[in-house]
């Protein structure tokens, strides 16, 4: 699909929006538009979901995209499939080393309990649902997210470890919508494991025409 | 937890039940009981789900168990975690080579459409929901299943391939319930890819006291 262009012939870019540290945001991205998610500080994991705006029960699904693209690691050039096995977005650009996770659930308060927290801890599951409510919508469930910039190497025999991101400040991905989408993002507040280098910070995004 | 014993001191075993070829079944497995799932012919993949009987919105979750057990491949000795991060079952016994899949969604009619089918094809997603309805329940969503005996090697760079099972006739697993559970199983009707050696057959199960 051709990109929409402004009168100057250049791609139209929205203002720069912030996903605050440890919080979530959701945004509409219409078919043909794209979202540019910028890892401003380089070391922040962004749990990312995409729902069909027409029917929120259709959403980007890690377990449905893996069999279709034939890899655990989607990156530039891959279609991102929904739970109805059709492309909901296209992974159009990626300036990072292309290491993103599809294996780990969004963190939740139970997870932080297991990690020793006695009190409530910010978490991506609650951030997803808060972000959707903030724009008047309700996520029908908590799909397994595309964890952008999250570095979970797969070792011998399928062993999984939690490592620091390999991305650098300003790295970004561009995901283009194949359907009218609601994209939700959470700046992962994980500050116990090293996946955010121990510093949970904000990221930025733009909608591209 | 100690196994319940009959008056003879031996574990109580139910009659042998059948999951027909290309179909699903669901069974109640109370806390402390176990289910023995027998790969009667050796080459049949069994998509398996477990829901809390008290609240079906809590269920065994592949994306929640992977971070907790630290591997893609659960086998004998592992706890199987729910989407609330607590053990819902324990993988107590496994006479197969221990190769089971956690990466692939249940097949569905969309999947067979992508594989070239023009008409409806039996599939594990519909089997799950039919099996639950058959015992008067409704699955709240379609969790990613534990695909028993399914051989999906993870290659270099996360590459995924569909291979024949490594199990042999009569191999079985025993999953013991840590909560009162509803366990659903589907004899995967995949006859296009080689995951069932091209022959879709029945399996058997027993409830163990």
């Amino acid at each position: 699909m051709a990109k929409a262009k402004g009168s100057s012939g250049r791609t139209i870019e929205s203002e720069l929006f912030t996903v605050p540290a440890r919080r979530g945001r959701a945004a509409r991205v219409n078919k043909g538009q794209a979202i540019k998610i910028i890892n401003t500080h380089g070391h922040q994991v962004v749990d990312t979901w995409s729902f069909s705006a027409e029917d929120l029960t259709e959403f980007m699904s890690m377990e449905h995209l893996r069999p279709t693209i034939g890899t655990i690691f989607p990156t530039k050039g891959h279609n991102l499939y929904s739970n109805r096995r059709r492309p909901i977005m296209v992974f159009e650009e990626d300036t990072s080393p292309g290491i993103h996770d599809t294996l780990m659930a969004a963190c939740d308060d139970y997870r932080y309990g297991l990690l020793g927290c006695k009190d409530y801890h910010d978490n991506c599951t609650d951030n997803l649902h808060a972000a959707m409510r903030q724009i008047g919508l309700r996520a029908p469930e908590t799909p397994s997210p595309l964890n952008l910039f999250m570095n979970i190497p797969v070792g011998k025999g399928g062993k999984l470890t939690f490592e620091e991101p390999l991305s650098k400040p300003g790295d970004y991905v561009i995901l283009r919508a194949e359907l009218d989408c609601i994209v939700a993002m959470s700046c992962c507040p994980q500050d116990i494991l090293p996946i955010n280098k121990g510093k949970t910070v904000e990221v930025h995004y733009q909608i591209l025409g």
Side-chain angles (χ1 to χ4, degrees), chain A residues 52 99 136 162-163 195 200 208:
Chain A
S52 162
I99 301 298
F162 296 85
E163 308 289 344
I195 60 163
T200 56
L208 310 184

Side-chain angles (χ1 to χ4, degrees), chain A residues 87-173:
Chain A
I88 183 167
M89 305 196 89
V90 175
F91 206 139
E92 184 173 283
E93 187 54 80
D94 186 358
T95 68
S96 81
I99 301 298
H100 311 286
D101 170 68
T102 68
L103 298 175
M104 301 308 197
C107 61
D108 48 40
D109 203 41
Y110 306 108
R111 173 67 164 154
Y112 292 103
L114 288 182
L115 291 170
C117 296
K118 303 287 186 211
D119 296 319
Y120 179 81
H121 191 288
D122 295 326
N123 64 80
C124 291
T125 297
D126 288 348
N127 284 349
L128 162 66
H129 292 280
M132 294 293 279
R133 277 193 298 271
Q134 201 174 25
I135 58 168
L137 299 175
R138 182 177 174 278
E141 57 183 86
T142 307
S144 203
L146 174 58
N147 295 309
L148 291 171
F149 313 111
M150 188 175 183
N151 181 14
I152 304 290
V154 177
K156 200 166 177 304
K159 187 173 158 48
L160 300 171
T161 49
F162 296 85
E163 308 289 344
E164 295 183 354
L166 301 178
S167 40
K168 55 187 188 310
D171 272 345
Y172 63 85
V173 303

Side-chain angles (χ1 to χ4, degrees), chain A residues 41-53:
Chain A
H41 300 279
H43 54 74
Q44 179 61 51
V45 167
V46 186
D47 286 36
T48 305
W49 296 264
S50 181
F51 298 85
S52 162

Side-chain angles (χ1 to χ4, degrees), chain A residues 3-13 209:
Chain A
K3 295 181 193 176
K5 304 280 183 182
S7 57
S8 65
R10 294 179 54 222
T11 299
I12 300 164
E13 297 187 353

